Amino acid sequence: GIKRLSKQDNYLIKYLDEEPDIFDSKFGGIPYWTTDKEYPKNSEGEKLSLLAQINFDKCDVEEPLQKNGLLQFFIDGGDDLMGVNYDDQTIQNNFRVVYHEKIDYNITK
C-alpha cells in the first residue's frame, strides 16, 4: 500500500575532502562552463553562483537520470529567496538549471 506508493529512488552524495576541479560533481566553487554559452545571470545582469553540479560521466546512476553530461544549479546568492518566484516557479530570473549534454574536458579554469 503506502510504502509502494511513496517509494522513491534516492542517491547518497559523498563529500570528499579533496579539492574538486571544474569537471567534478560538487557544491559551490568554480563551475564548468563553455565560452559558446552565455553565463547565467540574474534579472539585474549579475552572474549567478554555482549551487551544485553533477557530472553524470563520473556517476553510477540509473534512469530517469542521465548517463552522460553535466547538470548544474545556479542561484542568486544576494537574493533572500535564492531566486525562487512563488508566483511562477518556472521563471528562471534569479536561478538557472543548466544541462551540458557533452563535456569538453580540454577546458581550463
Side-chain angles (χ1 to χ4, degrees):
I2 292 176
K3 221 179 209 183
R4 182 178 55 78
L5 293 174
S6 63
K7 180 182 173 190
Q8 294 184 11
D9 292 331
N10 56 63
Y11 295 92
L12 176 67
I13 298 174
K14 189 184 290 186
Y15 181 81
L16 304 174
D17 286 333
E18 54 198 58
E19 185 73 25
D21 68 23
I22 61 171
F23 306 107
D24 289 330
S25 297
K26 60 185 174 180
F27 296 105
I30 298 172
Y32 166 85
W33 201 257
T34 58
T35 57
D36 63 328
K37 290 185 178 185
E38 184 178 346
Y39 192 86
K41 296 178 182 172
N42 66 14
S43 57
E44 297 175 10
E46 299 166 335
K47 288 185 175 182
L48 297 177
S49 301
L50 178 69
L51 175 63
Q53 72 180 24
I54 303 168
N55 184 334
F56 292 117
D57 288 358
K58 298 180 178 184
C59 295
D60 183 25
V61 296
E62 298 173 4
E63 287 187 4
L65 297 176
Q66 300 292 325
K67 292 288 185 189
N68 302 94
L70 190 121
L71 182 63
Q72 298 173 308
F73 302 89
F74 292 89
I75 58 169
D76 184 351
D79 179 0
D80 291 343
L81 299 176
M82 303 292 179
V84 174
N85 180 334
Y86 288 108
D87 295 327
D88 187 346
Q89 295 180 19
T90 63
I91 296 175
Q92 294 190 33
N93 281 342
N94 294 327
F95 77 93
R96 197 84 73 250
V97 178
V98 178
Y99 176 67
H100 301 267
E101 191 172 341
K102 295 184 182 188
I103 301 171
D104 179 357
Y105 287 99
N106 294 314
I107 290 178
T108 60
K109 287 183 188 179

